[in-house]
Amino acid sequence: MSEGEMARLMEEVEEKKKLIATIRNKPWRMKRRLVLLREAQQFVDKFEGALGKGKGRKWYAYKVMMTKKWIKFQRDFENFRTACIPWERKIKEVESHFGSSVASYFIFLRWMYGMNLVLFGLTFGLVVMPEVLMGLPYGSIPRKTVPRAEQDTAQDYSVLMDFNGYCKYSVLFYGYYNNQRTIGLLKFRLPLAYLMVGLGTFGYSLMLVIRTMAKNADVGGGDGDEGEFTFAWKMFTSWDYLIGNAETADNKYASITTSFKESIVDEQENQKDENIHLRRFLRVLANFLITCSLGGSGYLIYFVVKRSQEFANRDDLSWYEKNELELIMSLLGLVCPPLFETIAELEDYHPRIALKWQLGRIFALFLGNLYTFLFALFDEVNTKLEEEGSIKNASIWAMKEYYANFSLPVNDSDATPPPMDPGDVILGPCWETAVGIEFVKLTVSDIQVTYLTILIGDFARAVIVRFLNYCWCWDLEAGFPSYGEFDISGNVLGLVFNQGMIWMGAFYAPGLVGINVLRLLSSMYYQCWAVMATNVPHERVFKASKSNNFYMGLLLLVLFLSLLPVVYTIMSLPPSFDCGPFSGKEKMFDVIMETIDLDLPAFMGTLFSYAANPGLIIPAVLLMVLAIYYLNSTSEAYQNANMELKKKMQMARDEEKNRRNNTDSTNQVMKDLEDLLPNRSLAPPALPEPAEKPKEPEGKPTKTRGGAAGKGVDLQKDVSLASSNPNAREPVTRAPGARGRGQPPGGRGRGGPPPR
Amino acid sequence: MGNKQTIFTDEQLDAYQVNSFCRLHGRYHELAPHLVPMDYTNEPDCKIPLALIVNMPELKENPFRDRIVESFSEDGMGNLSFNEFVDMFSVLSEMAPRELKAIYAFKIYDFNVDNYLCKEDLEKTLNKLTKEELTPEEVELVCEKTIEEADLDGDSKLSYADFENMITRAPDFLRYLVFVETDASKPCLCMHLSIFIILQYFTLLCTKNKIICSTLLLTNAFLICKIF
């Protein structure tokens, strides 16, 4: 065989091989594929021998098998990973029936549970366990023993429910911990660990919240702005072909329907166009009304707190006056949110935006709650601090008396008296434990109120509506009261404020985090059940905003608010003299100074003292402020660039659509261009020479009609693509010479009506 | 799997290039044992009707099962020969390329088989997807929006070019139009779990601690509940 033939043969063999490799990708019927495949394989077999061995087939089969195994492994691993996320199926079920906004609450709850679990691990592992394992047991020192006076009632249920008695003198609270610098064989520094864990709780929470916010900001490209093909993708790619289970299929149908409804709501909001001025006026009015009511409730709270301070000094109080504060707070909490919702209907926002406004307003209202609580707490702390002074003297006096009395019965002044029985020592008021008890009581009562509200407000209501409907005059299910809808804003705020309480109280009651973990766990199951069993979906199901950043923002605010009191007490209030890990010190953070002095090498001490110098700290703060400003401006620049790119993409898409779509406008432009051309008929008669020229271009069109030569013909082609162009048919059937109007300016003279 | 030699010749096996080929034949045979012969060496010409095929577990819950089978059958009525059966599984497997899936997806959603997705096709698709839970106005709105989004040449229906342009940009498409022939995920997970348990046994032997033992038992119970 000659060289050329060899080359040609090799080419053909390559082609056939490529065909064999890609035959699976062709959308042909199986029979045709088989026939062609057989042909190609025979050809390759026949001629490959002549050209040289090829080992394609076995290697190909092996590669295919390995690829398939790899894909399968990846799929299994993904499934395994998804199966490990707790409650994923539950949340998906809720999402499919109630929409993504309700599901976003449960996702938030799950995230909180994760964070609390880590905090619990920290507290439990570094503070509670060492004290239990390596510290002194119950009953050995005064702070760990129930005082003799209370010992009779210490086991009573009512006392335990109030977190007194045995509860008060247990690991749950601050007062139990001993102030020994190191405990056990490992020389574990408990006071230092206590302080570090307390501060580390805040640090970790802060870091986690900000990291989640940053991650969400990355993912979310704006509310509801998915760009192109929202509905098309929903229609063609939403069904999961792997579903083989009837129940899963039902869930999938529900979730697809809900998802369509959400998009329809979004679309209807977009299509709404009403009187802008009226809407603006109504919105201003609504905001004004709500600000008034918020101001009114704030003043009412302040007034009631002042009155309660006066009442604290009097003794003859009626029931109402005793409980006035709690009553007013609960009343405000019950009345204001529905009031805000009713006023908000004036504003006529997209449901997602309306939810955010509602959340913000109720948050402002609940800040008033927080204010009263903290105020009362600080009052109590101050009274206890005053008490402490007097009790300190009293206990030292009692100790001296005990030793004096002891030496009388035993006439042996050499014997050392046994230490006083721990139950008899007069204990100081221990304000930290009192604060911790307040927080724990608040959390527990919050849990009880939430669960009871769900039980009565949702479950009992659903049962009544369902069963009383048979014998009632009007339709209970359609009219009042009907089934409840899931209150997203109330629940989210409850969660956020609860977490604020935990952050504030965790320093004074290490057991509080454990209680919260249990509460979140049970809350998840309970609320999932309650939602599925007793609630109905919202009338207008709306898509949650892609980022959860609004909830995170609220959480961050609450984190800062709860950080302030704790840091204040650590820095300025003196710790109790006889309870807790910092007893005996001037200020709580003296532990750190002690550690630096005693445990760390000398140069670290000098290093820290330099670092604490105001002369160093102020420039550092300035530097950070500048860095923030710089990062802010860069991020703004990126956002602007982003917007420009999006606009460009949108323009490109529109252009493409218009090019293929809008035939009339292009045709109209062409017509307008034509009209603007100078009218040659009005020009002076052409000289013979120029008359020659028109003849030449006349020849061209006959040649170039079939193909695309110059710009002129292209333009013709473009126009002829447009199906509704009435002139388009003509260039194809008649000679270009007959078409006067469609000629480009250059060829205007050819064939047209140049007057001879 | 049976004795390969008696069902297919080596040549036929090579030609099909499908990995779980014998399993497929087993399933084809199971659907209609009296119709399908065991011996395929002579390439017999038998077809299984639509009603039998849509009872397969992969297709049973699918709202588009009728259309899927119809688009792979040569006569358009849903009667599949073995070649077409293999074709269906091959296209709907993980190995098939995106373009191929897009072509067949277009055929599946084209209810009136006119090579265009017109409004009636879209309405039927939507009603099948939502089990007719949406009101007629909502259906109208969705179909209009879909055509508005995807139609490039302005003829109020989607040609294949429009469809392909839209579907190739979809993030989820490739993951979804997929079957898995047998449910092999459970055995795989069981294998992983058994390895995990063996490792735990060895750690237990080393530490002999009650607390660790009970925590490991709890985690095992939790994982088993999760999987099953």
Side-chain angles (χ1 to χ4, degrees):
Chain A
M1 273 193 254
S2 70
E3 277 298 318
E5 270 185 38
M6 271 282 234
R8 202 170 43 82
L9 209 55
M10 255 177 53
E11 227 181 87
E12 261 186 69
V13 167
E14 281 306 313
E15 223 181 274
K16 292 278 184 219
K17 271 198 186 162
K18 212 169 65 158
L19 181 67
I20 295 176
T22 58
I23 203 156
R24 303 187 71 190
N25 304 354
K26 305 258 192 259
W28 297 331
R29 295 248 171 244
M30 204 63 178
K31 258 194 200 137
R32 183 174 165 201
R33 255 189 255 183
L34 285 176
V35 162
L36 279 170
L37 181 67
R38 208 167 292 165
E39 230 180 75
Q41 273 179 350
Q42 280 172 350
F43 187 84
V44 170
D45 280 338
K46 202 163 79 169
F47 288 107
E48 212 166 17
L51 297 173
K53 280 280 180 191
K55 277 202 189 278
R57 206 133 19 111
K58 289 236 166 76
W59 173 243
Y60 174 76
Y62 177 71
K63 258 202 320 192
V64 161
M65 191 189 69
M66 289 314 287
T67 327
K68 197 161 189 185
K69 278 214 196 303
W70 176 242
I71 293 179
K72 194 178 240 262
F73 174 73
Q74 275 183 324
R75 180 195 286 267
D76 279 341
F77 185 67
E78 273 304 313
N79 282 351
F80 182 66
R81 229 165 41 121
T82 324
C84 276
I85 301 177
W87 306 312
E88 184 71 8
R89 220 179 331 147
K90 253 196 226 301
I91 295 183
K92 278 273 178 276
E93 213 179 315
V94 169
E95 185 172 1
S96 64
H97 287 276
F98 289 88
S100 50
S101 47
V102 171
S104 74
Y105 164 73
F106 287 100
I107 294 177
F108 187 53
L109 180 60
R110 183 174 65 187
W111 181 88
M112 288 277 234
Y113 175 71
M115 179 175 77
N116 274 288
L117 211 55
V118 171
L119 292 180
F120 172 68
L122 269 178
T123 322
F124 197 68
L126 290 176
V127 171
V128 177
M129 277 283 103
E131 182 70 23
V132 164
L133 293 177
M134 300 190 280
L136 299 169
Y138 170 83
S140 48
I141 45 176
R143 67 184 65 177
K144 299 199 183 202
T145 328
V146 179
R148 187 146 331 246
E150 296 173 21
Q151 267 178 6
D152 298 331
T153 56
Q155 265 192 330
D156 286 354
Y157 184 72
S158 57
V159 167
L160 283 178
M161 276 296 109
D162 244 356
F163 294 99
N164 273 321
Y166 282 124
C167 265
K168 186 169 170 187
Y169 299 95
S170 69
V171 258
L172 274 179
F173 294 108
Y174 173 99
Y176 185 82
Y177 296 86
N178 201 4
N179 68 335
Q180 245 180 312
R181 208 174 81 83
T182 64
I183 49 176
L185 282 173
L186 296 171
K187 300 230 183 285
F188 189 79
R189 286 143 176 68
L190 188 73
L192 181 68
Y194 196 97
L195 188 66
M196 289 284 108
V197 164
L199 293 176
T201 307
F202 287 106
Y204 173 74
S205 313
L206 188 64
M207 191 195 72
L208 192 66
V209 170
I210 295 208
R211 205 175 71 161
T212 313
M213 280 180 92
K215 219 187 332 175
N216 282 343
D218 226 5
V219 163
D223 277 328
D225 176 28
E226 274 188 355
E228 37 182 2
F229 303 138
T230 322
F231 284 95
W233 283 346
K234 274 200 170 52
M235 192 177 296
F236 295 119
T237 64
S238 53
W239 182 259
D240 185 353
Y241 281 63
L242 281 171
I243 292 179
N245 179 3
E247 203 183 300
T248 323
D250 279 337
N251 275 349
K252 192 69 182 170
Y253 283 122
S255 104
I256 290 179
T257 312
T258 314
S259 158
F260 268 114
K261 288 204 173 144
E262 286 174 357
S263 296
I264 289 173
V265 163
D266 272 341
E267 184 58 34
Q268 281 170 344
E269 287 292 323
N270 279 346
Q271 283 181 354
K272 219 168 36 167
D273 52 355
E274 282 164 22
N275 195 348
I276 292 189
H277 298 292
L278 179 67
R279 228 201 289 182
R280 267 198 213 139
F281 170 71
L282 284 177
R283 281 187 188 166
V284 166
L285 179 67
N287 273 323
F288 175 71
L289 284 174
I290 290 184
T291 325
C292 281
S293 43
L294 273 177
S297 61
Y299 179 69
L300 182 64
I301 293 174
Y302 171 72
F303 179 69
V304 165
V305 164
K306 261 181 65 164
R307 255 169 51 122
S308 73
Q309 272 187 317
E310 292 166 24
F311 288 158
N313 300 332
R314 286 173 29 198
D315 274 333
D316 54 335
L317 298 172
S318 63
W319 175 85
Y320 170 74
E321 279 162 352
K322 261 197 268 206
N323 295 321
E324 188 183 31
L325 187 60
E326 279 93 10
L327 270 175
I328 298 282
M329 301 302 298
S330 330
L331 219 66
L332 276 178
L334 276 175
V335 163
C336 283
L339 180 71
F340 291 163
E341 255 184 63
T342 332
I343 297 182
E345 281 183 25
L346 278 177
E347 291 180 330
D348 201 19
Y349 274 127
H350 187 292
R352 191 184 316 136
I353 304 184
L355 176 68
K356 285 195 184 163
W357 278 97
Q358 178 75 351
L359 270 174
R361 288 167 184 154
I362 303 185
F363 183 78
L365 182 71
F366 280 6
L367 281 181
N369 259 356
L370 203 65
Y371 164 73
T372 49
F373 178 72
L374 282 177
F375 200 80
L377 214 57
F378 264 113
D379 257 355
E380 209 179 311
V381 168
N382 281 330
T383 22
K384 285 229 152 57
L385 277 175
E386 284 165 12
E387 237 185 274
E388 210 181 80
S390 55
I391 291 203
K392 211 179 198 172
N393 294 333
S395 72
I396 295 177
W397 187 248
M399 183 85 86
K400 292 213 165 92
E401 262 194 43
Y402 172 76
Y403 286 140
N405 285 340
F406 179 76
S407 54
L408 283 177
V410 176
N411 275 326
D412 186 0
S413 47
D414 283 348
T416 47
M420 204 153 119
D421 179 40
D424 288 329
V425 174
I426 303 179
L427 275 183
C430 204
W431 62 270
E432 293 99 340
T433 306
V435 168
I437 291 180
E438 283 301 309
F439 276 109
V440 173
K441 278 206 294 202
L442 183 69
T443 308
V444 168
S445 78
D446 192 39
I447 297 175
Q448 288 169 336
V449 166
T450 316
Y451 285 18
L452 274 176
T453 318
I454 294 181
L455 199 63
I456 297 180
D458 279 338
F459 184 64
R461 173 175 168 182
V463 163
I464 289 176
V465 168
R466 170 69 69 89
F467 292 115
L468 224 53
N469 206 12
Y470 296 123
C471 50
W472 203 259
C473 6
W474 71 84
D475 187 359
L476 286 172
E477 281 184 6
F480 178 84
S482 83
Y483 298 107
E485 288 179 353
F486 187 75
D487 179 17
I488 303 178
S489 50
N491 275 305
V492 166
L493 278 178
L495 207 58
V496 164
F497 274 106
N498 172 59
Q499 189 59 38
M501 292 294 120
I502 302 295
W503 275 324
M504 267 198 264
F507 187 73
Y508 305 106
L512 190 56
V513 191
I515 295 178
N516 198 35
V517 164
L518 285 174
R519 168 225 166 98
L520 286 175
L521 188 62
S522 55
S523 192
M524 183 58 151
Y525 288 106
Y526 185 52
Q527 281 189 308
C528 267
W529 166 80
V531 146
M532 295 297 289
T534 67
N535 285 350
V536 287
H538 291 262
E539 239 177 76
R540 305 179 78 204
V541 182
F542 58 95
K543 205 180 341 189
S545 65
K546 256 188 284 200
S547 57
N548 243 354
N549 266 357
F550 192 66
Y551 300 162
M552 291 294 157
L554 285 179
L555 198 63
L556 196 63
L557 195 59
V558 166
L559 176 59
F560 275 122
L561 285 178
S562 48
L563 180 65
L564 292 174
V566 176
V567 170
Y568 173 73
T569 48
I570 292 181
M571 290 299 163
S572 31
L573 288 184
S576 303
F577 74 98
D578 67 343
C579 71
F582 310 114
S583 55
K585 303 215 179 8
E586 289 273 330
K587 291 266 168 11
M588 290 192 195
F589 65 84
D590 281 346
V591 188
I592 303 184
M593 302 311 200
E594 212 185 329
T595 316
I596 295 177
D597 286 334
L598 297 176
D599 288 330
L600 297 175
F603 73 91
M604 301 276 287
T606 35
L607 205 70
F608 275 119
S609 63
Y610 283 150
N613 191 349
L616 199 63
I617 291 188
I618 293 184
V621 168
L622 271 177
L623 192 66
M624 281 195 273
V625 168
L626 285 175
I628 291 175
Y629 175 70
Y630 169 72
L631 288 171
N632 201 20
S633 41
T634 18
S635 99
E636 258 179 42
Y638 283 141
Q639 268 181 350
N640 281 342
N642 239 359
M643 293 265 59
E644 290 294 314
L645 283 172
K646 271 195 196 159
K647 263 193 253 176
K648 267 200 204 157
M649 266 171 52
Q650 184 67 31
M651 260 170 45
R653 254 187 274 137
D654 286 341
E655 229 180 80
E656 199 180 301
K657 260 197 184 173
N658 276 335
R659 195 166 60 82
R660 298 204 220 172
N661 204 355
N662 223 333
T663 70
D664 283 339
S665 76
T666 24
N667 200 23
Q668 188 58 39
V669 167
M670 287 292 298
K671 283 193 202 155
D672 286 343
L673 258 178
E674 281 310 307
D675 283 342
L676 284 175
L677 286 174
N679 197 345
R680 289 292 165 98
S681 57
L682 297 175
L687 298 165
E689 268 189 300
E692 296 260 319
K693 281 202 190 137
K695 288 209 184 122
E696 283 173 19
E698 208 172 351
K700 274 198 212 147
T702 47
K703 272 193 241 163
T704 57
R705 203 198 325 165
K711 210 171 127 198
V713 185
D714 263 357
L715 276 173
Q716 275 191 15
K717 250 200 174 165
D718 258 340
V719 174
S720 63
L721 265 179
S723 47
S724 53
N725 181 2
N727 294 337
R729 312 269 180 241
E730 302 187 343
V732 182
T733 52
R734 292 199 287 177
R739 274 188 29 150
R741 298 183 72 214
Q743 298 283 348
R748 175 70 178 80
R750 54 177 147 126
R756 306 251 174 173
Chain B
M1 297 230 186
N3 197 345
K4 281 193 238 172
Q5 306 309 106
T6 54
I7 306 178
F8 294 100
T9 62
D10 274 337
E11 206 186 36
Q12 284 170 320
L13 280 177
D14 279 338
Y16 281 105
Q17 286 181 359
V18 175
N19 271 5
S20 48
F21 186 64
C22 296
R23 213 164 28 193
L24 273 180
H25 182 258
R27 301 200 60 191
Y28 191 68
H29 182 79
E30 266 168 39
L31 287 174
H34 48 284
L35 278 177
V36 175
M38 280 301 283
D39 187 350
Y40 251 72
T41 44
N42 299 331
E43 292 180 26
D45 184 24
C46 67
K47 292 184 183 246
I48 297 187
L50 177 77
L52 289 176
I53 299 182
V54 295
N55 281 332
M56 288 180 65
E58 290 93 343
L59 286 171
K60 218 169 26 135
E61 297 298 332
N62 199 317
F64 301 113
R65 51 187 178 268
D66 293 331
R67 279 302 307 153
I68 293 176
V69 179
E70 277 167 19
S71 48
F72 283 99
S73 72
E74 204 167 343
D75 55 6
M77 302 296 293
N79 304 312
L80 294 186
S81 71
F82 183 57
N83 281 341
E84 289 154 359
F85 188 76
V86 172
D87 209 6
M88 180 169 78
F89 272 92
S90 151
V91 169
L92 291 165
S93 79
E94 295 158 314
M95 302 283 294
R98 188 170 236 197
E99 300 76 28
L100 198 56
K101 285 194 199 280
I103 292 174
Y104 277 99
F106 185 74
K107 288 177 70 166
I108 289 172
Y109 295 125
D110 186 7
F111 279 78
N112 51 10
V113 203
D114 60 351
N115 268 349
Y116 284 102
L117 295 177
C118 57
K119 203 145 179 226
E120 289 73 34
D121 292 331
L122 294 180
E123 278 174 15
K124 286 211 192 98
T125 311
L126 189 59
N127 281 328
K128 278 209 194 287
L129 269 178
T130 59
K131 270 193 170 170
E132 301 183 15
E133 290 261 334
L134 296 178
T135 67
E137 297 87 29
E138 289 172 339
V139 171
E140 177 83 21
L141 176 67
V142 172
C143 294
E144 256 177 48
K145 282 298 293 179
T146 309
I147 292 184
E148 190 189 309
E149 282 170 357
D151 188 18
L152 291 175
D153 49 15
D155 54 0
S156 310
K157 48 189 181 175
L158 305 181
S159 66
Y160 178 66
D162 303 331
F163 183 79
E164 196 206 352
N165 176 52
M166 177 264 294
I167 212 82
T168 43
R169 293 170 208 222
D172 287 338
F173 178 62
L174 206 57
R175 195 164 66 85
Y176 272 146
L177 207 65
V178 164
F179 282 175
V180 162
E181 285 137 30
T182 52
D183 190 6
S185 52
K186 285 248 178 81
C188 198
L189 275 173
C190 286
M191 184 187 74
H192 294 149
L193 189 61
S194 46
I195 294 176
F196 183 50
I197 291 178
I198 292 171
L199 283 171
Q200 283 179 20
Y201 180 65
F202 280 118
T203 46
L204 273 180
L205 280 181
C206 300
T207 54
K208 289 205 172 92
N209 195 327
K210 267 191 208 159
I211 300 177
I212 298 182
C213 187
S214 43
T215 21
L216 284 177
L217 267 169
L218 278 172
T219 29
N220 278 339
F222 171 68
L223 279 174
I224 290 173
C225 291
K226 260 283 133 54
I227 290 172
F228 298 109

